[in-house]
Amino acid sequence: MEETELSSPFKCGIVLHCGAKDPDAACVEGPAWSGCGDPPLHSLCTGDVGPWALAFWRWLHVSFPDTLPAACQYLVQRLQDEGPRHGLELAFVWNRDVGKLQGKVPVSLQLQDLGRFPEREVDLVVEVAHPCVVRDHGASFLSGADFMVGSPTALADQATEMRLREAARRGGHTLYVPRGALWGGEDIQRMDDRGVLQGLKVTMIKHPDSFRLEGALRQRLGAERAVLYEGPVRGLCPLAPNNVNTMAAACMAAPSLGFDGVQGCLIADPGLPDWHVVEVEVTGPSGERRDQAFTVTTSRRNPASPGAVTGAATFPSFWSSLLETDVGCCFWVMMGTVQ
């Protein structure tokens, strides 16, 4: 992408939650998870989307009670150092405990009250935190800005999906779903658009320490390699909301299958301490012989620190996606209007 300086830069804000032991601890209690219809999606591959202000959400686990993890420092530093060359400007950083920002973020960029984020003239809010943030704050963001959901597991909840749909329509804004770590997402979507996608399965393999699981699924972690779940992605999203966003993105890319048709397999492997593996299996139409079918299988190995929820390649990839937003193919448009 050619680097240019824009007279009216995109304003960028980073919103953090530090130190909560329970991902939902800092979130308002919301509706129970339930089924929901799958929205139509379209590729945003061309055109200028206009001047955006961005707000990044990143969930910081209790393992980082006193410091910001490298991933978040990375984003802040890249925006401050390189943002102006790409027309990006850091507008604010908000954290539940503002003390965690002292000495790391200039006071002028610290947002004390998240409810006052419109005062920073945010045009696009980008969430990469936890589905409870989408559930509790997504409609508010859409009332005054476009919203990119980095935790699409939230969209497996019918109430959340419908609330965001209505907020997008009412506010005249757009809800975007990024492709994230889903390899081949555009190809999957093209097959779905042509009506030839017959099956889709996503397998994710990580060390047990990299999982943030809920309910009975947590009890299945042990010292041996184990299949924790295999079945429709919809049933897995509330059990592993931080770990299966790639699977949820696949559901977005394949609306004809959706959360109920796309299959997910979650595997804990103690022998895989420093890698996150994502395997995608796509099945297309049969050939002249019924025992033949078009198939594609990919395996993505992402280096990861022991116990990390997110692999090392994810944040540079996210930064690259931001720089590509005006040349396209980074998002699927879920609902609302496109600038």
Side-chain angles (χ1 to χ4, degrees):
M1 174 180 176
E2 182 180 354
E3 296 181 357
T4 59
E5 290 198 17
L6 302 182
S7 58
S8 179
F10 300 171
K11 293 185 178 179
C12 308
I14 299 179
V15 186
L16 313 171
H17 280 198
C18 274
K21 295 182 180 180
D22 180 352
D24 277 328
C27 298
V28 178
E29 183 64 25
W33 290 82
S34 59
C36 63
D38 298 301
L41 301 170
H42 307 281
S43 292
L44 178 63
C45 294
T46 58
D48 187 351
V49 294
W52 288 353
L54 311 175
F56 300 96
W57 291 76
R58 172 61 186 164
W59 192 274
L60 308 187
H61 248 261
V62 69
S63 57
F64 304 103
D66 299 315
T67 61
L68 300 182
C72 294
Q73 295 186 49
Y74 171 87
L75 285 176
V76 171
Q77 199 64 47
R78 290 294 293 266
L79 281 168
Q80 291 182 309
D81 292 348
E82 302 179 34
R85 287 188 291 156
H86 303 288
L88 297 171
E89 176 186 340
L90 181 62
F92 70 84
V93 178
W94 178 90
N95 187 59
R96 184 170 55 87
D97 182 356
V98 71
K100 301 295 194 300
L101 304 179
Q102 302 308 317
K104 304 175 182 67
V105 178
V107 174
S108 62
L109 297 179
Q110 296 176 20
L111 182 65
Q112 302 292 323
D113 182 358
L114 183 58
R116 302 181 65 176
F117 85 93
E119 297 178 6
R120 302 298 179 103
E121 299 183 346
V122 173
D123 297 307
L124 174 67
V125 177
V126 181
E127 175 274 328
V128 283
H130 187 275
C132 75
V133 174
V134 181
R135 181 190 69 198
D136 296 336
H137 299 281
S140 174
F141 292 146
L142 283 165
S143 68
D146 291 340
F147 183 34
M148 189 175 94
V149 177
S151 298
T153 54
L155 302 176
D157 171 41
Q158 183 180 23
T160 296
E161 183 216 349
M162 297 309 295
R163 186 164 55 251
L164 296 188
R165 277 181 175 274
E166 178 57 28
R169 283 192 291 264
R170 188 169 57 248
H173 295 289
T174 301
L175 182 66
Y176 298 98
V177 179
R179 65 189 175 203
L182 180 64
W183 197 259
E186 287 78 14
D187 294 310
I188 292 170
Q189 188 179 23
R190 281 193 287 267
M191 290 181 64
D192 191 88
D193 290 342
R194 295 199 308 269
V196 298
L197 182 64
Q198 302 298 312
L200 178 59
K201 180 178 180 180
V202 181
T203 299
M204 302 184 71
I205 311 170
K206 299 182 181 182
H207 189 276
D209 291 344
S210 293
F211 289 115
R212 305 292 184 264
L213 305 177
E214 304 292 338
L217 210 61
R218 186 184 304 166
Q219 308 305 318
R220 300 181 186 177
L221 293 174
E224 303 294 331
R225 178 184 169 101
V227 176
L228 304 177
Y229 179 95
E230 189 164 13
V233 171
R234 189 185 301 283
L236 180 56
C237 286
L239 300 176
N242 285 4
N243 292 114
V244 298
N245 285 303
T246 299
M247 296 184 187
C251 298
M252 298 292 99
S256 68
L257 298 176
F259 282 95
D260 294 312
V262 176
Q263 301 297 296
C265 181
L266 198 63
I267 298 176
D269 187 350
L272 200 69
D274 48 10
W275 294 94
H276 292 173
V277 178
V278 179
E279 298 174 348
V280 179
E281 303 172 49
V282 179
T283 304
S286 299
E288 295 181 0
R289 290 169 41 189
R290 289 188 174 274
D291 61 344
Q292 291 181 323
F294 173 85
T295 60
V296 176
T297 301
T298 64
S299 180
R300 180 181 186 269
R301 293 175 60 87
N302 188 0
S305 300
V309 175
T310 304
T314 300
F315 288 96
S317 175
F318 184 65
W319 173 255
S320 296
S321 293
L322 290 177
L323 301 183
E324 294 169 4
T325 52
D326 66 344
V327 295
C329 293
C330 295
F331 307 103
W332 295 302
V333 180
M334 179 177 168
M335 60 192 73
T337 59
V338 180
Q339 293 180 317

